[in-house]
Amino acid sequence: MKFENSEVRLTYRSALVEELRAAGSKIVGDLELLLPSSLGFCWGVDRALAMVEQARLDYGGRPMWLISSIIHNPRVNSDLRAQGIGFLRGRHAIAGAWEQLGSNDVVIVPAFSATVEDMNYLRQRGVTVVDTTCPWVIKPHKRTLKYLKEGFTTIIHGTVGHEETAATCSLIESEGGHFVVVYSIEETEVLAGFLEGTIDANYLHENLRVGSFSSGIDCEQDLQRIGVINQTTMLASESRAIGDRLKAALIKRDGEPALAKIFRDFDTICRATQDNQDAAAAVAQLKPDLYLVVGGYDSSNTKNLARVGRRLGVPAFHIEGPHCIQDALEHRHRESGEILYEAAWLPAIRPIKVAFTAGASTPDALLGEVIERLVEYVEKRLPQANILS
Ligand code: SF4
């Protein structure tokens, strides 16, 4: 099924976003609205949702399930639940459904893939699997298998617990390999310190998150040769810095001539993530007074779009939808992940230059509602309320 012709595509359209996409900017009352050249639904999400729609046509009448979210957007997941698709895991899971799966069931594997253990279980239960794994997610899988074959331990720049990274980790372990996950530059510094010999393995284990290491890893032995990959949706500039830092640590440990034998680095950030980050940075260079980044709070690529804005000195806020626009703006803190309420978020100047962007799992319709809500809020709000001085 071509997504352009699908019902889902029509459901998630927004005439306002389409108009803004074409024009790049628009003045509405006291607001100058700006949109980057690339934002929102990526090819992989388009494809996953089209596959779900096709599966509903192909397997209508049979019980249909998602392992957990199809993508990280509450609106989309709630729409799928409303269509009768059940969840096997997570907050909306139906108790006992996973254990009772059988040959009449249809299970949809999300765009970020699934663990080897889950895939084996589904096969064993004889269910019909609709695998929407994005081809971009396969790229780090292939790369890590290559590292493994060459005798390298994989260092993953990713988030422990994120479905994509969990799938990559399980693939490595199922093949008898090892991995270490680093989330940030700070965690990379700890790993680099170990490689350089300034800290010991106990300190390394204690200072990375639970779940960062493959089971049975012997860091002294297994980190002699390392290859770096990234979860596809990480901040590209940070991934590059992490690769460079680890490379420098190995040069310090073993000398530059040894590098070709002990270090590999391969960029597995997906094209859509890279394009959205580049476009978000280009709009941030226009110095908007406010930057609203719309997407699910658990969406990795959306979190990183907010960080792009903040790193360029722009007041960027990661919000989940129109409900966040209120006297105290609801948003997710870009580093701590806490949901906060910001009282002074609306600049006092007029017109206010407001940029918007949206994560790869955010429907245009949701972004359109956010823009409309902001326009309405600014028109109606009291002149003195919630103004940044
Ligand atoms: S963000 Fe990238 S990896 Fe994830 S679904 Fe979209 S295209 Fe695929």
Side-chain angles (χ1 to χ4, degrees), residues 42-45 111 134 136-137 164 232-233 270-273 301 360:
C42 60
W43 176 84
V45 166
C134 175
W136 280 95
V137 170
E164 181 190 324
T232 52
T233 50
C270 85
R271 174 70 59 78
T273 297
N301 77 86

Side-chain angles (χ1 to χ4, degrees), residues 210-368:
V210 174
S212 296
F213 298 90
S214 52
S215 57
I217 190 170
D218 173 346
C219 291
E220 299 287 353
Q221 180 189 303
D222 295 322
L223 295 179
Q224 288 301 312
R225 292 161 28 112
I226 60 170
V228 184
I229 58 167
N230 350 94
Q231 186 182 306
T232 52
T233 50
M234 301 308 276
L235 193 58
S237 56
E238 197 165 68
S239 283
R240 281 191 286 275
I242 284 170
D244 289 348
R245 180 66 187 94
L246 295 175
K247 182 175 164 184
L250 289 185
I251 291 174
K252 193 166 174 191
R253 187 186 75 186
D254 293 348
E256 182 121 31
L259 201 61
K261 290 200 175 115
I262 58 173
F263 182 71
R264 299 276 186 277
D265 193 6
F266 191 78
D267 181 356
T268 51
I269 301 287
C270 85
R271 174 70 59 78
T273 297
Q274 183 72 69
D275 288 351
N276 283 2
Q277 287 176 8
D278 291 348
V283 165
Q285 304 285 4
L286 302 175
K287 296 292 168 209
D289 307 304
L290 177 66
Y291 206 156
L292 294 179
V293 180
V294 184
Y297 287 144
D298 51 359
S299 160
S300 167
N301 77 86
T302 310
K303 291 173 197 172
N304 285 320
L305 287 174
R307 295 174 76 206
V308 167
R310 283 282 168 173
R311 284 182 169 205
L312 291 166
V314 171
F317 295 95
H318 176 177
I319 66 172
E320 207 162 50
H323 66 278
C324 298
I325 296 177
Q326 48 186 315
D327 291 346
L329 182 79
E330 182 193 300
H331 69 104
R332 178 194 178 279
H333 190 271
R334 67 201 170 279
E335 302 300 343
S336 72
E338 279 178 273
I339 306 307
L340 303 175
Y341 293 86
E342 179 79 31
W345 60 280
L346 199 59
I349 51 165
R350 295 292 180 270
I352 313 172
K353 198 193 274 191
V354 189
F356 299 86
T357 188
S361 46
T362 307
D364 277 6
L366 191 62
L367 174 61

